[in-house]
Amino acid sequence: MADKPTKGLADVVAASTALSDIDGKAGRLFYRGYDIHDLAGRATFEETAHLLQRGKLPTRDELAAYGAELVSGRELGVLVSANISEVAEKQKPMEGLRTLVSLASADDPDRDSIEAEADLRKAARLTAQQPVLVARYHAARTGGSLPDPDPDLSIAGNFLLQVTGEHPTARQVEIFDACLVLHADHTMNASTFAARVCAATLSDMHSAIVAAIGTLKGPLHGGANEQVMKTLESLDPSQVAQSVRDKLAAGEKIMGFGHRVYKTEDPRATHLRRMSEELATASGDDTYYRMSKEMEEVVFETKGLYPNVDFYAATVYHYLGIPTDLFTPVFSISRMSGWTAHVIEQHADNRLIRPDSEYIGERDQKWKPIDER
């Protein structure tokens, strides 16, 4: 008798990858063999994207060349630019980004190729364009103006500039840059798996990224960070502990806690907690940070669950001035570096991903003409 299928494909190895690895018991995450604790706050997002997409941490010259490629690649094409206002009017942020990335494929000079060099070029363009798409979408829906990018700022710095309309401090840029590094890749998560399934059919990179964005949109994946902030905003700061206990007693899920892989604290949460505290103190109002700490203590005491990457990311983004409904789009900015790297890897050593299934429906049904049913 065949083994019973594993629900949700838990512990099923779906692909071989050299991009990232997790030690769930020890709570460790690695990008191409580098511990996330060594990268966060040290390697820039641009360096990390180069590491994932091109296999190594860049030299100064390589980083300069890659940076120039990102700057030239962030220019949006005619079709996507012409449709941003209408998309922003009719679609919510993640739906809009799904549409805009699909439209961007028509403007891409390598749209008809899945060759290795074309994939590398498209990966850089997608990584450069995603923060611009989020910022342009936000400006279109609010009727605001979009500041020109500052040539002295990184991807992280220019995104904060264009979304908030204010020049960020050096420390704000460092913190947001570290956030992008922390979210860049995470083994075979749902959106990455969706991208690889699409790429495995030898579909193009933009199609695979659209599949990933559609998957990230769900509240059980990328949408969790937005739900964390909404939960914090809904609570009375003086009644946090009791409110959380009541929710848990009623069987409600508290977003931002627990993880399918980590059996201890998510290593990304360690950095995000510290950054949330720093930004809260600098803001002069640490209410949401204090509420988060209290929630963390109650959930651990009651359920034994640790915070995951989404929990403290919510307050970090809030203190940086990012609107709550852009939290998941921000996730896509970072994860674009990992998604594109996985598509490159899938195309380089491809086999169609086609799992089996267990049939649980009726058998030996007898046909009846429509008048006898």
Side-chain angles (χ1 to χ4, degrees), residues 322-345:
I322 299 170
T324 300
D325 68 351
L326 292 187
F327 287 4
T328 308
V330 166
F331 198 151
S332 78
I333 292 171
S334 174
R335 190 55 60 84
M336 188 64 75
S337 60
W339 288 334
T340 52
H342 277 274
V343 174
I344 291 168
E345 189 176 61

Side-chain angles (χ1 to χ4, degrees), residues 132-204:
V132 178
L133 287 174
V134 177
R136 288 277 299 271
Y137 170 95
H138 182 59
R141 69 174 179 168
T142 60
S145 59
L146 192 74
D148 290 333
D150 184 334
D152 294 327
L153 288 178
S154 61
I155 284 177
N158 272 311
F159 178 76
L160 291 177
L161 169 65
Q162 295 191 312
V163 165
T164 68
E166 299 179 2
H167 210 283
T169 67
R171 183 57 184 149
Q172 287 174 326
V173 174
E174 289 173 353
I175 286 175
F176 187 54
D177 191 80
C179 289
L180 296 181
V181 170
L182 290 168
H183 285 84
D185 197 48
H186 206 241
T187 68
M188 203 57 60
N189 59 85
S191 56
T192 297
F193 183 57
R196 291 193 74 134
V197 169
C198 183
T201 69
L202 297 185
S203 190
D204 65 286

